[in-house]
Amino acid sequence: MPEKVRVRFAPSPTGSLHIGGARTALFNLLYARHNNGKLILRIEDTDTERSTEESTLQILRSLKWLGLDWDEGPEKGGDFGPYFQSQRLDLYKKEVDGLLAEEKAYYCYCTPEELSQRREEALKAGKPPKYDGCCRKLTPEQRKKFEAEGRKHTIRLKMPEEGQTVVDDLIRGRVVFDNSVLDDLIIVKSNGIPTYNFACVIDDNAMKITHIIRAEEHLSNTPKQVQAYLALGYDIPQFAHVPMILAPDRSKLSKRHGATSVEEFRDQGYMAESIINYLTLLGWSPEGTEEIFDMEKAIKEFTLDRVNKTAAVYDVKKLTWINGHYMREMDLGYVTEQTIPFMIKKGIITEQESKDKFDYIKKIVEVSRDRAKTLDELAHTVAFFFKDVTEYEEKGVRKHFSKENAVKLLTLGADALEKLDHFTHDKTEETFRNITADLGLKAAEIIHPTRLAITGRTIGPGLFDIIVLLGKEKTVERMRKAVKWIGARHQSY
RNA sequence: GGCCAUAUCGUCUAGGGGUUCAGGACGCCGCCCUCUCACGGCGGUAACGGGGGUUCGAAUCCCCCUAUGGCUACCA
């Protein structure tokens, strides 16, 4: 009878959720859903110096925005709460007391200064900088003396001095560590709060976690945790250490690498669906060659044995391509809704206008979305529909406005459009093509200057899509304005 | 320094002894489509870190080296 799968994502609230954390959360969710299990979210806020509530909120926000929904945890509750380690101190204390009583753990009075000094000395002497175990066999008298001196203590877990600790990792296979390299782990800091490596063991056990799926950086600490499981008499869960995500220069992700947090990507105009799809493919691969994966499909196909062992460098270019793909393939109304906040932020439209003119904006997005790879970029390219053209792209002026016939064609075009009753794509196009055909010119001769006149740019959607959406009045007005602009420019020479 | 892990195109990856002078995706380049730019279609560029084994045969298994990453905190 297989036990019910329970996995967890356990971030520490010391910063924003970066893409590495998001990927770990995603793999946990994928594994849980694929196996009809539960995803537990637990906040590891045992570092009272660095943990902030703001960070917790930001992580929850990012997770929700990405669609990584947990079953138990903050805001959700559950039978194994509380889900903040700072609220579980009693539980830890109980377990520590047991360990102390059984003499599996002991008080250590060494100060951080002494420790680091000894570490440096050992390093200098070419020896491993391991804790020397000096407090391991303190007599009651010595202990009393230290206490009388007012020394603070930590609590350490005794590690076996001989033998080996084996970690059977679902991704990496059997990893063996010599116990002789294991430090007596500090399980309670001098401020009375347990360390991560200990608290997570107690919580994973108490929360009945069956599979610990986390980043590879935790692999080296796993034997110590295994010893904690053993000392506490717990069953050892399954471990799966997923490869790390590295910055383009192959170093660990950090702020200096530009955008690494989920919120930064969001603000740059990447959609949640794209980030999820991209992250799914980082370290995991499907059996087939299809790379477009929504969450549902990924859940169906996800297994741990197709997770690879190699650290991955993230590639914004590919993320951008995926984002462009989603922007043009997803439901038009949805993409429009996603784009609107960026338009508002840029001052292209107001919140009210976004509601009043939603259908209009939707049509604009429809003809423009093929060309943009981010929502931010799309919002930018669409601005001329709402804002007057105040300047013309210089390259275009040289190419299209300085031509002999530009003024003539723009004038003819404006005149003809003005008289048009049925202002449709086909009618406007027919009108333009007739004008150039009559003069023995190619349609491009009028199309390019017109685009520049009404958008200020040389690139953009099909001209007649623009003309129809912009409307007769504005189109004609902008064309005439351009004619004047060209005239004024020529006079100044 | 010690311990652990990893090593296929620039990047993400498939491939786990012969069916692969290594397949896909992004990027890049070219062509087609075309009113521009995109999109789309087609084609191209580009990789098994090095050295030893094992084997009839190795990108695939073993060893060594090298490189990279992680851990070695009273951070997680």
Side-chain angles (χ1 to χ4, degrees), chain A residues 73 130 157 207 212 218 322 330 355:
Chain A
K130 199 189 153 189
L157 185 70
M207 295 178 180
I212 296 179
H218 294 291
I322 291 177
M330 289 187 84
K355 290 182 182 115

Side-chain angles (χ1 to χ4, degrees), chain A residues 28-57:
Chain A
N28 270 284
L29 177 134
L30 258 21
Y31 188 76
R33 298 276 178 272
H34 181 86
N35 294 290
N36 281 310
K38 289 251 167 35
L39 173 64
I40 289 86
L41 177 64
R42 183 176 71 226
I43 305 298
E44 310 237 316
D45 54 353
T46 52
D47 185 344
T48 48
E49 300 279 304
R50 299 195 303 149
S51 296
T52 65
E53 200 190 330
E54 190 195 332
S55 168
T56 303
L57 261 24

Side-chain angles (χ1 to χ4, degrees), chain A residues 118-270:
Chain A
R118 270 185 268 161
R119 209 171 8 245
E120 269 172 45
E121 279 167 17
L123 225 37
K124 237 178 254 168
K127 285 185 208 151
K130 199 189 153 189
Y131 176 65
D132 57 13
C134 73
C135 292
R136 201 164 174 161
K137 293 185 205 75
L138 249 31
T139 62
E141 289 74 36
Q142 288 171 305
R143 235 188 5 230
K144 235 174 255 168
K145 190 175 155 253
F146 279 142
E147 293 283 352
E149 285 173 8
R151 277 195 183 228
K152 288 190 169 177
H153 66 253
T154 60
I155 298 174
R156 287 185 187 263
L157 185 70
K158 283 185 190 168
M159 290 292 162
E161 291 168 83
E162 290 170 357
Q164 298 177 319
T165 302
V166 173
V167 177
D168 279 311
D169 192 278
L170 260 16
I171 292 170
R172 272 144 226 286
R174 171 162 291 216
V175 184
V176 181
F177 298 84
D178 276 336
N179 290 155
S180 60
V181 305
L182 266 28
D183 258 12
D184 280 355
L185 179 70
I186 292 183
I187 58 176
V188 179
K189 298 180 258 189
S190 58
N191 63 4
I193 295 173
T195 56
Y196 153 80
N197 275 306
F198 186 65
C200 78
V201 167
I202 294 177
D203 287 337
D204 287 335
N205 178 263
M207 295 178 180
K208 297 198 170 359
I209 304 301
T210 56
H211 301 260
I212 296 179
I213 302 169
R214 60 180 17 165
E216 195 197 343
E217 56 184 322
H218 294 291
L219 182 57
S220 295
N221 284 321
T222 305
K224 293 178 192 172
Q225 292 185 5
V226 167
Q227 287 303 328
Y229 277 95
L230 260 21
L232 291 160
Y234 295 163
D235 287 337
I236 294 169
Q238 302 268 13
F239 291 102
H241 288 94
V242 305
M244 311 259 308
I245 295 178
L246 271 24
D249 64 356
R250 298 207 68 84
S251 70
K252 208 173 168 179
L253 246 31
S254 76
K255 325 94 229 155
R256 73 191 158 83
H257 296 114
T260 57
S261 79
V262 170
E263 294 208 329
E264 282 173 293
F265 281 112
R266 182 199 63 192
D267 292 346
Q268 287 183 10
Y270 291 94

Side-chain angles (χ1 to χ4, degrees), chain A residues 3 20 33 46 49 60 92 115 129 206 215 233 239 245 256 299 308 313 339 367 372 405 431 484:
Chain A
E3 54 186 335
R33 298 276 178 272
T46 52
E49 300 279 304
L60 299 187
Y92 308 137
L115 256 17
F239 291 102
I245 295 178
R256 73 191 158 83
I299 287 167
N308 72 15
V313 172
T339 310
V367 302
N405 57 16
T431 304
K484 276 189 204 143

Side-chain angles (χ1 to χ4, degrees), chain A residues 323-324 327-328 368-375 377-379 381:
Chain A
N323 199 58
M327 281 176 62
R328 70 188 94 92
S368 308
R369 75 206 301 203
D370 274 6
R371 289 162 184 81
K373 289 194 158 56
T374 65
L375 298 170
E377 190 188 335
L378 180 56
T381 62

Side-chain angles (χ1 to χ4, degrees), chain A residues 44-92:
Chain A
E44 310 237 316
D45 54 353
T46 52
D47 185 344
T48 48
E49 300 279 304
R50 299 195 303 149
S51 296
T52 65
E53 200 190 330
E54 190 195 332
S55 168
T56 303
L57 261 24
Q58 195 189 18
I59 289 169
L60 299 187
R61 213 188 309 137
S62 294
L63 252 17
K64 283 188 279 192
W65 179 74
L66 285 171
L68 298 174
D69 258 332
W70 56 98
D71 301 299
E72 293 174 26
E75 298 181 359
K76 289 268 161 76
D79 297 335
F80 299 86
Y83 294 91
F84 287 82
Q85 291 192 321
S86 58
Q87 294 168 22
R88 315 182 109 249
L89 266 20
D90 290 348
L91 173 63
Y92 308 137

